[in-house]
Amino acid sequence: GAVVSQHPSRVICKSGTSVKIECRSLDFQATTMFWYRQFPKKSLMLMATSNEGSKATYEQGVEKDKFLINHASLTLSTLTVTSAHPEDSSFYICSARTTSPYNEQFFGPGTRLTVL
Amino acid sequence: DAKTTQPPSMDCAEGRAANLPCNHSTISGNEYVYWYRQIHSQGPQYIIHGLKNNETNEMASLIITEDRKSSTLILPHATLRDTAVYYCIVRVQSGGSYIPTFGRGTSLIVHP
């Protein structure tokens, strides 16, 4: 299957700082990428859908000014957690969807964010 | 809104078959059944998918009932590394409007 990478794999930051997470589709072009958040022992919760060249679509309850998403190319989407707080500590996972006809979805390995 | 229901947890002895059920009674005619698994602290991994025929690959087998209202993922010889949360999802295969969402899945523990 296709490969999706995330960087960094884990990050620890101080409260109030901003953290950028990169998601790359390594061997295919992805017009659509998704960002999920997962708290311990919980399922993946979709945060936003990112379309290349346009603004992201956020799920209800997700603050777009706090979680900035940029999808500037067909192989890269970034999620920036601005002014991070301890409650933002979570496992962030991206996925990328291939183009038609099958629109298969592949997931990155995740990024563990810890805000002190 | 959940379109699938799965038992929250199951356990299986190493070397035995693990049979994970999934109910999807409201599945539409053009929706496929997809299975993913997530090993602790990793991203979800695709396992298998099917429409109405049984499917088999190097990882697992998928048995879909004739009425398509339920399915079973079979790991024929479970190993300790198969311990993970298994997610059953129904989705259309083509079309760009699909937004993937996950339920709670089944936590499978394979014990020695």
Side-chain angles (χ1 to χ4, degrees), chain B residues 18-110:
Chain B
N19 299 299
L20 292 87
C22 178
N23 286 323
H24 32 80
S25 58
T26 60
I27 192 170
S28 300
N30 63 343
E31 289 184 315
Y32 286 69
V33 180
Y34 276 73
W35 282 83
Y36 293 86
R37 73 178 182 184
Q38 186 180 24
I39 295 170
H40 182 62
S41 293
Q42 296 183 25
Q45 175 191 23
Y46 165 81
I47 301 174
I48 198 168
H49 74 280
L51 181 62
K52 55 183 178 181
N53 297 321
N54 298 337
E55 302 288 343
T56 296
N57 62 21
E58 64 277 6
M59 291 182 68
S61 294
L62 174 61
I63 308 298
I64 302 174
T65 58
E66 192 168 342
D67 62 8
R68 303 210 320 122
K69 293 185 176 182
S70 65
S71 61
T72 301
L73 179 74
I74 301 174
L75 308 178
H77 306 286
T79 70
L80 299 179
R81 287 179 294 181
D82 291 323
T83 292
V85 178
Y86 289 76
Y87 296 99
C88 168
I89 296 169
V90 294
R91 53 158 287 192
V92 296
Q93 188 173 51
S94 59
S97 61
Y98 167 70
I99 297 177
T101 57
F102 289 77
R104 292 183 175 273
T106 296
S107 175
L108 174 68
I109 297 176
V110 181

Side-chain angles (χ1 to χ4, degrees), chain A:
Chain A
V3 178
V4 176
S5 71
Q6 279 184 244
H7 178 80
S9 58
R10 58 179 64 228
V11 56
I12 300 173
C13 69
K14 293 181 179 180
S15 185
T17 60
S18 294
V19 175
K20 179 185 285 189
I21 303 170
E22 293 185 348
C23 176
R24 294 181 185 272
S25 56
L26 297 186
D27 50 2
F28 66 100
Q29 293 184 332
T31 55
T32 305
M33 290 184 173
F34 304 93
W35 287 96
Y36 295 83
R37 179 168 52 183
Q38 185 175 35
F39 293 107
K41 299 187 184 301
K42 300 293 184 181
S43 187
L44 286 77
M45 296 299 296
L46 181 66
M47 298 175 66
T49 301
S50 167
N51 292 300
E52 186 266 337
S54 64
K55 292 183 178 180
T57 301
Y58 291 80
E59 295 299 300
Q60 190 173 13
V62 179
E63 300 175 58
K64 61 181 180 181
D65 294 331
K66 180 169 182 62
F67 298 100
L68 302 178
I69 292 173
N70 183 279
H71 191 161
S73 78
L74 289 172
T75 59
L76 173 65
S77 176
T78 61
L79 168 68
T80 301
V81 183
T82 62
S83 187
H85 288 95
E87 56 265 33
D88 298 323
S89 298
S90 188
F91 193 50
Y92 291 87
I93 302 169
C94 75
S95 75
R97 186 164 67 193
T98 63
T99 53
S100 298
Y102 297 117
N103 303 113
E104 296 300 340
Q105 185 185 6
F106 299 93
F107 290 85
T111 296
R112 175 75 59 191
L113 170 63
T114 302
V115 184
L116 302 177

